[in-house]
Amino acid sequence: MKKLSSICWILWLSICGLPVFAADLDKPAITVFAAASLTNVLQDLGDSYTKDTSIPVKFSFAASSTLARQIENGSPADVFFSADLEWMDYLQERNLIRRESRHDVVGNRLVLIAPVDSKIKLTIQPHFRLAAALGKGRLATGDPDAVPVGRYAREALTTLGVWSEIVDRLVRADSVRSALAFVDRGEAPLGIVYETDALIDKGVRVVDVFPANSHLPIVYPIALTTAAKAEAAGFVEYLRGPAGAMAFKAAGFTPLH
């Protein structure tokens, strides 16, 4: 009966002159909860995967903290792709992911950004003059209490000895893309985001890159949730395979396998 309904639907679309899409109406969509910094590259990979397999892929992009809590509260997701290890650990400790499916996929770099027309010049080093460069403005980054990019930023600035000078001057964004937008719109003179986010926004420029030893490595792990549909495993393998590696590399990420 389900197959007959699908055929009737396709025939109705044809009669009405409406396009019939390639995705198989009988194949359930894969739902992926992924860090906001993965938005562009995953949308492209999802489109390619659907074209190759006829399996639809749906995404929910936000801060890893937000997505992990949504999964904890029962939101239906097949795959979780986090921007840090901590939020993947959070779900693993609660038995909400399949441990054997967990893999580290890509890495990233932390950068200081400014609006593209800004004249600010800074070299990131111990006790660099970040507060002075802000003037009367604020520093945009993810909320350090939850959002991965904010956690990396807090760790880096603490290591470099300037955290106490700017902690009260933060714009605590709800995701890295929100922090990026504050700088793009000129609402913050400086921001700390991932290098890959800076690369996709023509309204900002990279002032400098944070030393790798100033913070923990930026690692993006992926895993199937305990409620994942069988089809989801294929998409995870696709992301970890040659097509995924090529796309991630082109977007500025560092493939880790």
Side-chain angles (χ1 to χ4, degrees), residues 222-238:
I222 195 169
L224 297 171
T225 67
T226 52
K229 293 185 283 290
E231 292 82 0
F235 184 60
V236 170
E237 289 307 307
Y238 179 77

Side-chain angles (χ1 to χ4, degrees), residues 43 73 214 248:
Q43 286 177 331
N73 290 328
S214 68
F248 286 125

Side-chain angles (χ1 to χ4, degrees), residues 35-52:
S37 51
L38 293 165
T39 299
N40 300 64
V41 65
L42 281 191
Q43 286 177 331
D44 290 342
L45 283 166
D47 289 344
S48 297
Y49 187 74
T50 299
K51 183 177 180 180
D52 291 344

Side-chain angles (χ1 to χ4, degrees), residues 10 18 38 63 98 107-108 110 147 158 165 188 200 215-216 245:
I10 293 172
L18 297 175
L38 293 165
R98 300 179 189 174
N108 213 332
L110 196 68
V147 181
T158 300
E165 300 172 12
I200 57 96
H215 56 83
L216 290 172

Side-chain angles (χ1 to χ4, degrees), residues 205-220:
R205 65 177 178 84
V206 174
V207 176
D208 202 4
V209 180
F210 282 87
N213 62 3
S214 68
H215 56 83
L216 290 172
I218 298 171
V219 176
Y220 290 67

Side-chain angles (χ1 to χ4, degrees), residues 60-72:
S60 178
F61 296 106
S64 301
S65 52
T66 299
L67 298 172
R69 286 171 177 148
Q70 288 176 354
I71 292 173
E72 181 183 22

Side-chain angles (χ1 to χ4, degrees), residues 152-195:
Y152 292 123
R154 177 173 58 192
E155 184 184 7
L157 296 177
T158 300
T159 300
L160 296 166
V162 298
W163 174 251
S164 61
E165 300 172 12
I166 59 87
V167 63
D168 294 327
R169 302 179 63 186
L170 292 179
V171 177
R172 295 173 175 255
D174 60 6
S175 75
V176 67
R177 289 297 174 91
S178 295
L180 183 70
F182 278 113
V183 181
D184 178 285
R185 297 192 298 260
E187 296 171 11
L190 290 168
I192 298 177
V193 299
Y194 301 122
E195 183 177 38

